[in-house]
Amino acid sequence: MKVRLNREKIEYLVVFIAVLGMGSLYFQVLHMPLMAVMEVVAAGILLLGDFNISKRNFVGYFTITLFFLLTSIVNLKNGFYVNDLIIWCVNAFFIIVMQSHMTFESFKQKFVRIMVLEAIVSLICFFWADMLGNSLPLMFISRNAANGYYMTPYFTLGWYNIPVFHRNAGMYNEPGAHQIFLNFALLFLLSDNDYLGLTKKKYTLSLLILIIAVLTTQSTTGYMCLLIVFTAVIMKKTEGKKNTKLKIAVIIAIAILAFIESLTGVVETKLSGISTGQGSGLTRFNDTYYGYFIALSKPLLGHGVFMANQKEILNAYGIINISNGMASFAIRAGIVFVAIFLIMIYNGMKKKLPYGIFFNLCAFLLFLLCINSEGVFMNLLFLSMLGEWKMGGVWLYNRIRKIIDRVFAIFNYKEKWVIA
């Protein structure tokens, strides 16, 4: 029996829960059991409306899960953290069901609008609590084993040792994580040919809000990501024009800068040193260097995706909390899987964001910079680039457009075709 539901509202609810599961400090970090229940309930609601699961996606994630289990079974001496297995299975189940019931265009539209709302809330809280020093509703101090937080369920003011960041962390654990989702929302919004269904006024206002929010994170990595987003959009708009060498040179230059910054944090160190008198460049370099050094010791199966003693392995090399997300996952799953995963992500981006090779290279560079600066390697946002989403009208339109363009190219038809 099928249950009638308001499709649009249900999809907004599902994407909202997905956004919370992408790194919300209160829900995804500190209350993971609650987050898991929310994801299962959201997936269940979708299945109530239409019990449909993509077989292809199910097989794909099932295969990945089997590999993850294999890495941990082979490395049982490193322990087996069952909670990590449960969390992965819930995330995989959630993303499979969401992709089976939504188009990527619908997901993008709702993701961007929810992130604009999050940006507005974060800017209000940043001005009220950080700049003016006022208290926020539901404000409390959360103490856990790793750190303490001055926070609310919707905004993070600071850590126990840094009560006020003086930077906009939004609902995430730090500003560097916040900028990732703001910048990807900008990428989706700026690259869409139809303004994601927004009016021109709302589109412009949304852009301004997202850009201002990124700037208030005062994250140097965030500023570099913002530069990459703008570059990607320029590449999209100039696709097909004869300036290939210049495009390649720009992408290589940005890639070098991004790599150096993700490796050393030299720019961020100089900027943060102005206000704190301290720098994190050496720590970031050590995390990256020794992180990949450890990963290379077991490149095929890693040390176990669900390993329980990663902290002990890292501490042996002087790493307390590894800051490089890709190196951290390479330690667990092995370099080989990471390489395969990167190829899958790039191919997924090409299919879901079909705006030309140079745009895709910039988008992939944005992804690389994010996963090398924060622990977001298997984040729900990036998992959305894997697998197949439900087909929709926009997908069909793009396929037809490509076919017609190829036909015109065969006959050297130089004029652009337009759908009024």
Side-chain angles (χ1 to χ4, degrees):
M1 182 180 72
K2 292 186 177 181
V3 179
R4 289 176 176 259
L5 299 169
N6 186 311
R7 191 75 191 176
E8 191 73 5
K9 290 181 180 179
I10 291 299
E11 288 188 359
Y12 266 111
L13 173 64
V14 171
V15 178
F16 176 72
I17 290 174
V19 170
L20 292 180
M22 290 174 189
S24 163
L25 176 58
Y26 183 83
F27 292 96
Q28 196 266 335
V29 178
L30 299 180
H31 296 90
M32 191 59 221
L34 173 61
M35 187 71 248
V37 171
M38 291 167 64
E39 289 182 17
V40 170
V41 170
I45 292 174
L46 284 177
L47 290 174
L48 279 176
D50 179 16
F51 196 87
N52 175 46
I53 293 180
S54 167
K55 293 181 180 178
R56 182 175 180 179
N57 290 357
F58 177 81
V59 171
Y61 280 101
F62 184 72
T63 303
I64 293 174
T65 303
L66 287 180
F67 174 78
F68 286 175
L69 285 170
L70 175 63
T71 66
S72 295
I73 292 172
V74 171
N75 293 282
L76 272 179
K77 63 179 181 180
N78 293 327
F80 193 105
Y81 195 48
V82 178
N83 281 3
D84 281 353
L85 171 60
I86 295 173
I87 290 169
W88 162 253
C89 288
V90 169
N91 284 341
F93 171 68
F94 176 74
I95 200 76
I96 290 171
V97 174
M98 182 168 66
Q99 287 185 315
S100 301
H101 290 79
M102 292 178 61
T103 66
F104 185 66
E105 293 299 321
S106 180
F107 170 78
K108 277 198 311 180
Q109 182 188 72
K110 293 170 177 60
F111 172 78
V112 169
R113 294 184 182 189
I114 290 169
M115 283 309 303
V116 169
L117 177 61
E118 191 278 338
I120 293 172
V121 172
S122 74
L123 288 172
I124 294 172
C125 294
F126 179 69
F127 176 76
W128 181 255
D130 194 310
M131 298 179 68
L132 298 182
N134 295 314
S135 180
L136 291 169
L138 304 179
M139 190 81 168
F140 67 99
I141 301 175
S142 172
R143 294 180 175 87
N144 61 16
N147 206 339
Y149 302 95
Y150 288 84
M151 61 176 293
T152 72
Y154 53 87
F155 185 77
T156 305
L157 186 62
W159 294 337
Y160 193 72
N161 60 330
I162 309 174
V164 181
F165 280 136
H166 297 303
R167 298 167 63 193
N168 184 359
M171 64 178 179
Y172 302 89
N173 68 320
E174 62 177 349
H178 190 199
Q179 64 82 17
I180 293 173
F181 307 99
L182 294 171
N183 271 308
F184 266 93
L186 267 172
L187 181 73
F188 292 158
L189 186 59
L190 282 168
S191 62
D192 191 81
N193 295 322
D194 300 314
Y195 301 153
L196 286 178
L198 297 172
T199 63
K200 191 172 183 180
K201 184 177 180 180
K202 289 182 178 179
Y203 173 80
T204 304
L205 185 60
S206 297
L207 285 179
L208 288 174
I209 290 170
L210 289 172
I211 291 171
I212 293 172
V214 171
L215 296 178
T216 56
T217 65
Q218 298 180 53
S219 166
T220 308
T221 303
Y223 295 165
M224 294 193 69
C225 288
L226 187 62
L227 172 63
I228 294 172
V229 169
F230 288 147
T231 304
V233 176
I234 293 172
M235 295 295 181
K236 173 181 178 290
K237 293 183 179 298
T238 58
E239 182 70 22
K241 295 184 179 179
K242 296 181 179 180
N243 51 3
T244 303
K245 291 182 178 179
L246 177 61
K247 290 180 179 180
I248 294 174
V250 170
I251 292 175
I252 291 175
I254 294 176
I256 292 172
L257 286 172
F259 174 75
I260 293 174
E261 175 60 22
S262 67
L263 185 66
T264 65
V266 62
V267 179
E268 186 169 6
T269 298
K270 289 182 178 179
L271 290 181
S272 64
I274 295 174
S275 59
T276 65
Q278 300 175 348
S280 60
L282 182 60
T283 300
R284 184 177 295 188
F285 177 82
N286 286 339
D287 288 356
T288 302
Y289 177 81
Y290 287 111
Y292 285 116
F293 179 82
I294 298 169
L296 286 169
S297 66
K298 287 191 173 183
L300 188 58
L301 295 176
H303 292 73
V305 171
F306 306 120
M307 64 188 294
N309 68 336
Q310 185 181 33
K311 183 174 290 186
E312 286 78 3
I313 293 175
L314 294 175
N315 289 345
Y317 291 86
I319 302 175
I320 300 175
N321 291 308
I322 188 166
S323 59
N324 190 308
M326 192 164 97
S328 176
F329 202 82
I331 292 172
R332 291 173 171 267
I335 293 290
V336 174
F337 174 82
V338 167
I340 294 172
F341 184 82
L342 294 180
I343 294 172
M344 292 167 63
I345 286 288
Y346 179 73
N347 288 333
M349 283 184 169
K350 285 200 304 183
K351 291 180 180 179
K352 296 168 183 64
L353 301 169
Y355 305 127
I357 184 171
F358 294 106
F359 175 91
N360 292 135
L361 287 173
C362 288
F364 187 66
L365 179 58
L366 173 64
F367 163 72
L368 285 178
L369 184 55
C370 291
I371 62 175
N372 275 281
S373 60
E374 294 287 338
V376 292
F377 188 78
M378 298 295 281
N379 191 276
L380 285 175
L381 175 62
F382 303 137
L383 290 179
S384 73
M385 295 298 170
L386 301 178
E388 298 293 335
W389 289 79
K390 182 180 177 181
M391 295 180 185
V394 174
W395 179 89
L396 183 61
Y397 165 79
N398 286 333
R399 284 299 175 97
I400 294 175
R401 184 178 65 181
K402 283 185 177 180
I403 293 172
I404 295 178
D405 282 341
R406 287 174 184 173
V407 173
F408 284 165
I410 292 173
F411 295 100
N412 294 320
Y413 189 81
K414 296 183 179 179
E415 298 207 9
K416 297 286 184 180
W417 68 284
V418 179
I419 292 182

